Amino acid sequence: MKDFMLIFTNNPNMPTATPEQMQANMQLWFAWTEKLKAKNLYVSGEALMPGGKMVQGKKAVVTDGPFAESKEIVGGYFIVKANSLEDAAELAKDCPDLPQDGKVVVREVVKF
Protein backbone atom coordinates (compact mmCIF):
# COMPACT_ATOMS: atom_id res chain seq x y z
CA MET A 1 0.00 0.00 0.00
CA LYS A 2 1.06 3.57 -0.65
CA ASP A 3 0.62 6.72 1.43
CA PHE A 4 -1.74 9.43 0.24
CA MET A 5 -2.39 12.88 1.66
CA LEU A 6 -5.96 14.07 1.89
CA ILE A 7 -5.87 17.88 2.04
CA PHE A 8 -9.09 19.37 3.38
CA THR A 9 -10.21 22.76 2.12
CA ASN A 10 -13.39 24.56 2.98
CA ASN A 11 -15.42 27.32 1.49
CA PRO A 12 -14.83 30.52 3.52
CA ASN A 13 -18.32 31.67 2.52
CA MET A 14 -19.95 28.84 4.48
CA PRO A 15 -22.46 30.12 7.01
CA THR A 16 -21.21 30.32 10.58
CA ALA A 17 -22.06 27.13 12.43
CA THR A 18 -23.64 27.08 15.87
CA PRO A 19 -21.71 25.39 18.70
CA GLU A 20 -24.09 22.44 18.44
CA GLN A 21 -23.48 22.12 14.70
CA MET A 22 -19.72 22.34 15.24
CA GLN A 23 -19.89 19.59 17.89
CA ALA A 24 -22.01 17.37 15.64
CA ASN A 25 -19.51 17.91 12.80
CA MET A 26 -16.59 17.00 15.08
CA GLN A 27 -18.36 13.76 16.03
CA LEU A 28 -18.57 12.92 12.31
CA TRP A 29 -14.83 13.57 11.96
CA PHE A 30 -14.05 11.36 14.99
CA ALA A 31 -16.25 8.57 13.60
CA TRP A 32 -14.59 8.79 10.17
CA THR A 33 -11.13 8.69 11.74
CA GLU A 34 -12.07 5.64 13.82
CA LYS A 35 -13.48 3.92 10.71
CA LEU A 36 -10.17 4.45 8.88
CA LYS A 37 -8.18 3.30 11.92
CA ALA A 38 -10.29 0.14 12.23
CA LYS A 39 -9.36 -0.72 8.63
CA ASN A 40 -5.69 0.10 9.34
CA LEU A 41 -5.77 2.85 6.68
CA TYR A 42 -5.23 5.94 8.86
CA VAL A 43 -1.59 6.98 9.33
CA SER A 44 -1.85 10.49 10.80
CA GLY A 45 -3.59 13.81 10.49
CA GLU A 46 -3.93 17.24 11.99
CA ALA A 47 -6.17 20.27 11.82
CA LEU A 48 -4.60 23.64 11.04
CA MET A 49 -5.18 26.94 12.79
CA PRO A 50 -6.63 29.70 10.63
CA GLY A 51 -4.20 32.32 9.42
CA GLY A 52 -0.47 31.95 9.12
CA LYS A 53 2.26 33.34 6.89
CA MET A 54 2.85 33.15 3.16
CA VAL A 55 6.45 32.94 1.92
CA GLN A 56 6.87 33.40 -1.82
CA GLY A 57 9.06 34.57 -4.65
CA LYS A 58 12.78 34.75 -5.29
CA LYS A 59 13.26 37.17 -2.40
CA ALA A 60 11.23 34.95 -0.03
CA VAL A 61 8.85 37.77 0.85
CA VAL A 62 6.83 36.96 3.98
CA THR A 63 3.27 38.26 4.27
CA ASP A 64 0.31 37.47 6.48
CA GLY A 65 -2.14 34.94 5.15
CA PRO A 66 -4.01 32.98 4.03
CA PHE A 67 -7.09 35.09 4.62
CA ALA A 68 -10.77 34.26 4.58
CA GLU A 69 -10.99 36.30 1.37
CA SER A 70 -8.97 33.57 -0.30
CA LYS A 71 -10.91 31.21 -2.51
CA GLU A 72 -10.17 28.22 -0.27
CA ILE A 73 -8.58 27.73 3.12
CA VAL A 74 -6.67 24.54 3.96
CA GLY A 75 -8.11 23.33 7.26
CA GLY A 76 -6.10 20.16 7.79
CA TYR A 77 -4.89 16.90 6.36
CA PHE A 78 -4.81 13.12 6.81
CA ILE A 79 -2.21 10.65 5.64
CA VAL A 80 -3.95 7.40 4.66
CA LYS A 81 -2.95 4.07 3.16
CA ALA A 82 -4.48 2.96 -0.14
CA ASN A 83 -3.57 0.76 -3.08
CA SER A 84 -4.10 3.48 -5.67
CA LEU A 85 -5.03 7.11 -6.19
CA GLU A 86 -8.53 5.95 -7.10
CA ASP A 87 -8.85 4.00 -3.83
CA ALA A 88 -7.65 7.01 -1.84
CA ALA A 89 -10.22 9.20 -3.62
CA GLU A 90 -12.92 6.69 -2.61
CA LEU A 91 -11.83 7.05 1.03
CA ALA A 92 -12.09 10.84 0.68
CA LYS A 93 -15.76 10.56 -0.30
CA ASP A 94 -16.60 10.03 3.40
CA CYS A 95 -15.17 13.43 4.42
CA PRO A 96 -17.70 15.06 6.78
CA ASP A 97 -17.22 18.52 5.26
CA LEU A 98 -18.27 17.59 1.72
CA PRO A 99 -21.98 18.31 2.35
CA GLN A 100 -20.99 21.89 3.33
CA ASP A 101 -19.10 22.47 0.05
CA GLY A 102 -15.81 21.25 1.50
CA LYS A 103 -13.20 19.82 -0.84
CA VAL A 104 -10.57 17.13 -0.51
CA VAL A 105 -7.42 17.18 -2.60
CA VAL A 106 -5.95 13.67 -2.86
CA ARG A 107 -2.22 13.38 -3.57
CA GLU A 108 0.18 10.45 -3.47
CA VAL A 109 3.09 10.91 -1.07
CA VAL A 110 6.49 10.44 -2.72
CA LYS A 111 9.03 8.56 -0.62
CA PHE A 112 12.61 9.68 -1.18
Side-chain angles (χ1 to χ4, degrees), residues 2-6 80-93 104-109:
K2 301 174 186 176
D3 287 349
F4 292 86
M5 179 177 272
L6 308 182
V80 298
K81 296 265 185 212
N83 289 315
S84 67
L85 182 61
E86 291 75 19
D87 288 348
E90 282 298 314
L91 294 175
K93 287 182 177 181
V104 183
V105 176
V106 182
R107 302 281 303 272
E108 184 174 345
V109 175

Side-chain angles (χ1 to χ4, degrees), residues 16-35:
T16 305
T18 67
E20 293 81 14
Q21 290 169 324
M22 290 173 33
Q23 182 62 32
N25 183 259
M26 286 308 302
Q27 292 306 316
L28 294 173
W29 277 94
F30 293 145
W32 185 36
T33 303
E34 289 305 315
K35 178 181 171 182

